[in-house]
Amino acid sequence: MARKTKEDALVTRNAVLDAAVRIFAVKGAAQASLADIAQEAGVTRGAIYWHFANKADLLNTLWDQVLLLYEPLAQASESRDEPDPLGKMKALYLSFFTGLVEDPRQQQLFRILFDDSDRSKDTEAIRLRHAAIRQERFQGIQIALHNARDRGQLPPDFDVRVGAIAVLSFIHGLIANWIMTPDLFDIKKEAPQLIEAMLAMLRQGFNRHD
């Protein structure tokens, strides 16, 4: 019986998360209430509070699920033992853009981040968290590029900090432009060529100026 209860709780939790994404898409995260989400999910507000302390906690849970999807590839690209850091970086971003197109949860989370009209205390909390995540990714990209330089995939005088700025700006720009204007280009179809162009730019080199 206990096992069934845990399974039922997981089903309810996932139903609430899916309902939240649908409600956010219609009302925006700032205007959506837990009552709206409960009604959409077909559960009581009490059921939501069993799993989430508040709306910010729900949003952070959605982010956690997204981050977990790409953590293994991110770690692989940053590993000192990885023989092909640039290859793993390419695989990471290709996987990310494919997931972004196919997963409504990811799309809605990024819309919340980039839509200045959808602001509240709860959405500001995840914006601050995303800023911290960007700092972590900036450090991680530098590690991956440092490893790529040591493996001979980048010029010996490659400036890893400037290269990391270029990667972060390139990827962030692609996400923002596609999320806010999805008809502008087919990100899933064109991502391989775009990412390869980014890697070609890196291989060309950013010389250090010490």
Side-chain angles (χ1 to χ4, degrees), residues 136-201:
E136 293 175 7
R137 286 304 308 137
F138 183 53
Q139 297 301 320
I141 293 168
Q142 288 185 76
I143 292 170
L145 294 180
H146 188 281
N147 294 342
R149 186 180 67 188
D150 289 349
R151 294 284 183 179
Q153 293 184 315
L154 296 171
D157 59 350
F158 185 88
D159 189 323
V160 296
R161 182 178 178 277
V162 174
I165 293 171
V167 171
L168 199 64
S169 300
F170 189 95
I171 297 300
H172 188 271
L174 282 179
I175 297 169
N177 279 288
W178 185 77
I179 285 293
M180 299 310 293
T181 50
D183 294 335
L184 192 62
F185 55 95
D186 186 336
I187 199 169
K188 184 176 180 180
K189 179 180 178 181
E190 299 182 80
Q193 181 179 359
L194 290 165
I195 293 169
E196 189 54 49
M198 181 189 75
L199 295 178
M201 174 184 67

Side-chain angles (χ1 to χ4, degrees), residues 62-102:
L62 287 168
W63 269 115
D64 288 338
Q65 292 182 340
V66 172
L67 295 174
L68 284 173
L69 292 174
Y70 306 110
E71 190 61 30
L73 275 172
Q75 290 179 350
S77 70
E78 297 164 21
S79 171
R80 291 290 297 173
D81 298 325
E82 173 54 50
D84 184 15
L86 289 187
K88 282 295 187 290
M89 181 181 287
K90 179 178 181 179
L92 169 63
Y93 290 126
L94 286 176
S95 175
F96 170 76
F97 284 119
T98 298
L100 184 62
V101 172
E102 297 176 352

Side-chain angles (χ1 to χ4, degrees), residues 12 15-16 19 22 34-45 47-48:
T12 299
V16 169
R22 294 193 297 271
L34 291 181
D36 295 327
I37 295 169
Q39 183 177 5
E40 177 70 17
V43 301
T44 64
R45 285 186 64 183
I48 292 182

